[in-house]
Amino acid sequence: AQSVAQPEDQVNVAEGNPLTVKCTYSVSGNPYLFWYVQYPNRGLQFLLKYITGDNLVKGSYGFEAEFNKSQTSFHLKKPSALVSDSALYFCAVRDGAGGSQGNLIFGKGTKLSVKP
Amino acid sequence: DAGVIQSPRHEVTEMGQEVTLRCKPISGHDYLFWYRQTMMRGLELLIYFNNNVPIDDSGMPEDRFSAKMPNASFSTLKIQPSEPRDSAVYFCASSDQGHHNEQFFGPGTRLTVL
């Protein structure tokens, strides 16, 4: 069965410091991995995805994520956090060999708070 | 493309009333998803369709909830009768295999049942 875990409910970072939001996953085949961001009173917005190729994926707003197959992780990172990065972040996964199962499995979300 | 469109954006109703939420997916997408988000339970998948056919409705909380997709450009989520515990934000999303099933979310409908 597919699953994804975001072990931290909340991450607090000072503006200008690097940030990491953690995600681990479990799938039977090759994973397709996604990060989404949700700002208050908005829908989820796509940030980046890993399908195949380079393990370091770059996305919107200066975010990047590193796929680590041995650790089954896909942590979201940013070198220098901004107050405007404060939001709810969701990791999602699907099995790349899932055939017609087109749904994504979402983590429970991590609230990122960046303080000035 | 205008993205996923949901209506209404806000709905306030009284317990026992019927509520219908609407969604127009992105043109060409063959998957459509309905989610519910609350503080207590987070983001929950209710049901999803592929080519207008319901694939998995195991997340639908009870028989008061029903969803239809009569054609590729329209879907409804109906709650009858509504209860206060149904108060939540309901999201619709669509995707296609050409984008590795990356989901595009609508702005959501905030439902309040009094």
Side-chain angles (χ1 to χ4, degrees):
Chain A
Q2 304 168 64
S3 67
V4 61
Q6 293 181 244
E8 302 153 318
D9 290 337
Q10 181 156 343
V11 170
N12 298 312
V13 178
E15 188 174 32
N17 283 1
L19 70 87
T20 299
V21 183
K22 296 180 180 177
C23 172
T24 58
Y25 66 89
S26 175
V27 297
S28 56
N30 291 321
Y32 289 178
L33 294 154
F34 303 79
W35 275 102
Y36 286 80
V37 60
Q38 184 181 29
Y39 298 103
N41 301 312
R42 303 287 293 275
L44 277 69
Q45 298 176 31
F46 170 78
L47 269 182
L48 51 80
K49 66 182 175 184
Y50 171 83
I51 304 301
T52 187
D54 193 346
N55 289 345
L56 185 63
V57 178
K58 294 187 182 296
S60 308
Y61 312 120
F63 283 93
E64 58 188 27
E66 185 167 13
F67 170 62
N68 188 317
K69 187 172 184 178
S70 62
Q71 297 186 7
T72 62
S73 67
F74 190 57
H75 301 331
L76 181 70
K77 300 182 179 183
K78 187 173 182 180
S80 179
L82 300 172
V83 173
S84 57
D85 293 330
S86 299
L88 189 58
Y89 290 81
F90 291 92
C91 182
V93 67
R94 67 158 289 203
D95 190 332
S100 63
Q101 296 297 316
N103 61 317
L104 301 181
I105 305 301
F106 282 86
K108 60 181 175 59
T110 298
K111 182 178 181 181
L112 174 65
S113 179
V114 182
K115 300 295 186 184
Chain B
D1 199 316
V4 176
I5 299 173
Q6 290 187 247
S7 65
R9 294 292 310 276
H10 302 272
E11 176 80 31
V12 180
T13 190
E14 294 187 347
M15 182 175 63
Q17 296 298 306
E18 176 182 301
V19 175
T20 299
L21 311 181
R22 298 172 176 80
C23 175
K24 176 179 170 54
I26 291 173
S27 177
H29 281 188
D30 53 355
Y31 285 87
L32 183 138
F33 306 82
W34 282 101
Y35 292 89
R36 178 172 69 176
Q37 187 177 36
T38 61
M39 290 291 291
M40 292 296 293
R41 300 174 69 91
L43 188 68
E44 302 173 276
L45 175 66
L46 299 178
I47 184 172
Y48 78 96
F49 296 82
N50 179 217
N51 292 321
N52 313 336
V53 176
I55 301 300
D56 184 355
D57 65 354
S58 60
M60 297 286 263
E62 48 197 279
D63 292 345
R64 297 185 296 106
F65 286 69
S66 62
K68 294 182 180 180
M69 192 164 186
N71 57 63
S73 59
F74 183 66
S75 177
T76 59
L77 178 68
K78 184 179 293 186
I79 308 172
Q80 181 182 22
S82 58
E83 298 183 1
R85 59 192 168 122
D86 302 331
S87 297
V89 180
Y90 291 81
F91 290 105
C92 177
S94 69
S95 73
D96 72 315
Q97 291 192 357
H99 287 89
H100 306 104
N101 292 106
E102 170 193 333
Q103 292 185 16
F104 295 79
F105 281 75
T109 295
R110 182 174 296 275
L111 173 65
T112 302
V113 183
L114 303 174

